[in-house]
Amino acid sequence: MLHLRLITPPDSTADAIRLIENTVGTTHLVVFPGAARDPGGDVVTCDVAREAGDQLLTGLQKLGLAQTGSIAVENIDLSLSARADKAESDAPGEGADAVLWEHLVDATHEESTLSVTYLAFITLATMIAACGVVLDNAILIVGAMAVGPEFGPLAGICTAAVQRAPRLALRSLVALLVGFAVAMAVTVGFSFFMDAVGLFTKDQLEADRPNTGFIYAPDWFSFVVAVLAGAAGTLSLTSSKSGALVGVAISVTTVPAAANAAVALIYGDTNQTLRSSEQLLLNLLGIILAGIATLLIQKWLWTRQQKVTG
């Protein structure tokens, strides 16, 4: 269930209430006339089944409440109510299958914004991965994958493509490209330092690396895994099962490939640099294609389901 809190201008309150009452899957409607102060107006709250949430939010936006008032949405972790149970059973479809497009756009907007924190995470992840590739340490590679924040901009690109949101697409693309460029540049400097103090050596990089050699060996399995991870990551976002994102993060070799390319660059190993870059691009392409396809399929299935049940 979702909990909605609205601030409505007095002349829009009746329309908002009518819309809520006419939406199947809503309950617990409460109205506080004149309770809002900034902006001034009425406060309206209700609970709505997740599968009916996108339809209701779209209707409320058409009333102009996003401009003249406020629409706030929260997930309800626990609701002990027979009316809530009935609302969920009355709403068409399953909550896990529903996509809240406004929530998805908002979430990907936050995760795909180029910020100091984002740059710090992707840079630290790449430097951890650099240590992992030189030491041939799989644990460090997995740790770097988990720290890397690159799925946010990738999800933003996928969402923007499906929702036709050019600003989100540009913001996500900038975060992705600038993030990796900065991370690799800093990792090059970090690698020079580690080489100077004798912690990194060319022999370590070019030695037989059974645990991390796959990072600069792109093949069809790399692309297949990226596609599967992209689909799983997109589903985790749309179904609010964020725990699955950790598994997605450690399934693809984006950050480790960037790190391997940076380290190989300082030692003049063009073969590893180029093949690591190819691995990086292959993974990014697979995730984006799978993410877009997953969202399109979800959108089509949900629309079809709504027509059948409607």
Side-chain angles (χ1 to χ4, degrees):
M1 294 289 288
L2 303 172
H3 179 69
L4 270 63
R5 187 188 72 248
L6 314 175
I7 296 179
T8 64
D11 58 352
S12 300
T13 301
D15 292 333
I17 293 173
R18 190 178 306 110
L19 176 62
I20 293 171
E21 291 178 332
N22 292 335
T23 301
V24 177
T26 60
T27 187
H28 303 155
L29 175 61
V30 181
V31 182
F32 302 95
R37 292 292 180 269
D38 183 21
D42 305 325
V43 175
V44 180
T45 68
C46 71
D47 295 340
V48 58
R50 180 180 174 84
E51 50 268 41
D54 191 63
Q55 175 188 349
L56 180 56
L57 289 174
T58 300
L60 292 171
Q61 285 185 294
K62 289 181 179 178
L63 293 177
L65 296 187
Q67 289 73 40
T68 60
S70 170
I71 304 173
V73 184
E74 298 175 312
N75 281 305
I76 299 176
D77 295 326
L78 176 65
S79 179
L80 303 178
S81 166
R83 285 183 174 272
D85 294 339
K86 186 177 185 304
E88 287 189 311
S89 64
D90 290 343
E94 295 293 332
D97 296 332
V99 179
L100 297 176
W101 291 103
E102 288 301 326
H103 177 269
L104 182 61
V105 170
D106 183 69
T108 51
H109 175 278
E110 181 180 351
E111 295 295 327
S112 62
T113 300
L114 186 64
S115 63
V116 174
T117 300
Y118 171 81
L119 287 176
F121 270 115
I122 195 168
T123 300
L124 290 170
T126 307
M127 289 193 291
I128 293 172
C131 295
V133 297
V134 171
L135 296 175
D136 192 35
N137 189 315
I139 295 176
L140 291 178
I141 295 299
V142 171
M145 290 175 174
V147 172
E150 72 278 7
F151 192 80
L154 291 170
I157 292 172
C158 298
T159 303
V162 174
Q163 291 296 93
R164 299 178 182 178
R167 290 186 179 180
L168 177 59
L170 179 61
R171 182 184 299 110
S172 302
L173 189 60
V174 168
L176 187 68
L177 296 180
V178 174
F180 272 112
V182 170
M184 292 176 73
V186 173
T187 302
V188 166
F190 172 73
S191 300
F192 272 120
F193 170 78
M194 295 294 279
D195 178 74
V197 297
L199 295 177
F200 281 9
T201 66
K202 187 174 183 179
D203 289 340
Q204 287 176 300
L205 180 71
E206 296 187 345
D208 184 31
R209 288 158 46 194
N211 294 319
T212 60
F214 67 93
I215 292 172
Y216 59 94
D219 54 22
W220 278 108
F221 276 107
S222 302
F223 183 73
V224 169
V225 170
V227 167
L228 296 175
T234 303
L235 285 173
S236 73
L237 286 178
T238 57
S239 62
S240 296
K241 298 185 183 297
S242 58
L245 281 177
V246 178
V248 172
I250 60 177
S251 299
V252 292
T253 54
T254 48
V255 165
N260 200 87
V263 177
L265 186 64
I266 75 163
Y267 291 120
D269 190 334
T270 56
N271 178 58
Q272 283 201 41
T273 299
L274 291 176
R275 291 182 66 79
S276 297
S277 300
E278 184 182 346
Q279 178 80 282
L280 172 62
L281 294 175
L282 195 63
N283 277 268
L284 294 177
L285 177 62
I287 292 172
I288 291 173
L289 291 178
I292 293 174
T294 301
L295 289 176
L296 287 173
I297 292 172
Q298 284 184 289
K299 194 171 189 176
W300 178 78
L301 287 175
W302 185 251
T303 302
R304 181 181 175 86
Q305 188 176 41
Q306 294 293 97
K307 289 180 179 179
V308 171
T309 55

